[in-house]
Amino acid sequence: DIQMTQSPSSLSASVGDRVTITCRASQAIRNDLGWYQQKPGKAPKRLIYATSNLQSGVPARFSGSGSGTEFSLTISSLQPEDIATYFCLQHNSYPWTFGQGTKVEIK
Amino acid sequence: QLVQSGSELKMPGASVKVSCKAFGYTLSNKAINWARQAPGQGLEWMGWINTNTGIPMYAQGFRGRFVFSVDTSVNTAYLQISGLKAEDTAIYYCGRGPGGFDPWGQGTLVIVSS
């Protein structure tokens, strides 16, 4: 199975800060990775698909990058409404695997 | 969008059937994935079903007691769990594929308790 190691597990940042979350795959997954946002008590929502493509309706402050085994999600200017848990999902090979999640809080 | 059935409280050993109804598109055009989120835990991919052929694929830990099915006449996918155990207590999500989950259903909380 492909292991997805996500870091950090939590972070606290100020409004307007640039925030980066990383997922490392245990083997190459091409660009078969998405990033998701889950607010408390809500279903997850996809932000980024195929590593770097912004889902329709998602603010442009979210971006994704990477290839092979190293991937990142960046929020260019953290906003109060971005408080959530973020996680990655690789769909390159079965079983699909999720990162453990990163809880983002406002400082 | 995908709309799931409501919360369930079940006794150990019982069965439960979670529905996931598609609105705004034809279910058989896209795969449906299933995932589980135990209390305070991360997400675990359970598998997927080809909604055109009805052929499922299960992740390793979800073979035997878990069954995916579809009824295209009502544009709905189902997850049935038999022989429920306390450790099955979780929120179960469906999501449209391929290539990830988009959109997700709102989730169905299944509580297994005596």
Side-chain angles (χ1 to χ4, degrees), chain A residues 17-37:
Chain A
D17 280 356
R18 183 182 183 87
V19 167
T20 298
I21 298 166
T22 299
C23 268
R24 175 177 295 169
S26 58
Q27 62 191 71
I29 58 170
R30 299 186 306 181
N31 71 337
D32 298 330
L33 181 123
W35 288 96
Y36 297 80
Q37 176 193 64

Side-chain angles (χ1 to χ4, degrees), chain A residues 38-75:
Chain A
Q38 186 175 28
K39 295 186 176 182
K42 300 293 186 182
K45 167 188 167 184
R46 190 164 69 179
L47 304 175
I48 301 286
Y49 65 95
T51 295
S52 59
N53 295 275
L54 194 67
Q55 199 75 25
S56 176
V58 173
R61 63 181 179 273
F62 292 93
S63 64
S65 64
S67 65
T69 61
E70 295 278 340
F71 301 86
S72 61
L73 171 72
T74 297
I75 308 172

Side-chain angles (χ1 to χ4, degrees), chain A residues 38 43-44, chain B residues 3-8 16-20 33-39 43-46 61-62 65-66 68 78-82 84-95 101 104-112:
Chain A
Q38 186 175 28
Chain B
V3 179
Q4 297 183 225
S5 48
S7 299
E8 302 268 9
V16 68
K17 194 169 187 177
V18 175
S19 67
C20 170
N33 297 289
W34 290 94
R36 178 171 80 176
Q37 188 168 40
L43 283 149
E44 189 175 12
W45 182 73
M46 300 173 66
F62 298 97
R65 298 189 297 116
F66 299 80
F68 306 148
Y78 300 94
L79 162 65
Q80 183 161 0
I81 311 170
S82 59
L84 283 163
K85 306 175 182 180
E87 52 263 40
D88 294 325
T89 294
I91 299 173
Y92 291 84
Y93 291 101
C94 62
F101 288 63
W104 295 64
Q106 84 276 21
T108 296
L109 174 62
V110 175
I111 298 174
V112 183

Side-chain angles (χ1 to χ4, degrees), chain A residues 75-89:
Chain A
I75 308 172
S76 60
S77 177
L78 187 67
Q79 299 301 304
E81 60 266 33
D82 300 335
I83 300 313
T85 296
Y86 295 82
F87 57 89
C88 60
L89 168 66

Side-chain angles (χ1 to χ4, degrees), chain B residues 2 9 17 19 26 28 33-34 38 42 45 52 57 60 63 66 71-72 83-84 89 93 96 108-109 113:
Chain B
L2 296 172
L9 173 61
K17 194 169 187 177
S19 67
T26 301
S28 58
N33 297 289
W34 290 94
W45 182 73
N52 189 39
M57 179 179 186
Q60 182 73 24
R63 296 172 188 166
F66 299 80
D71 184 342
T72 54
L84 283 163
T89 294
Y93 291 101
R96 188 178 65 178
T108 296
L109 174 62
S113 175

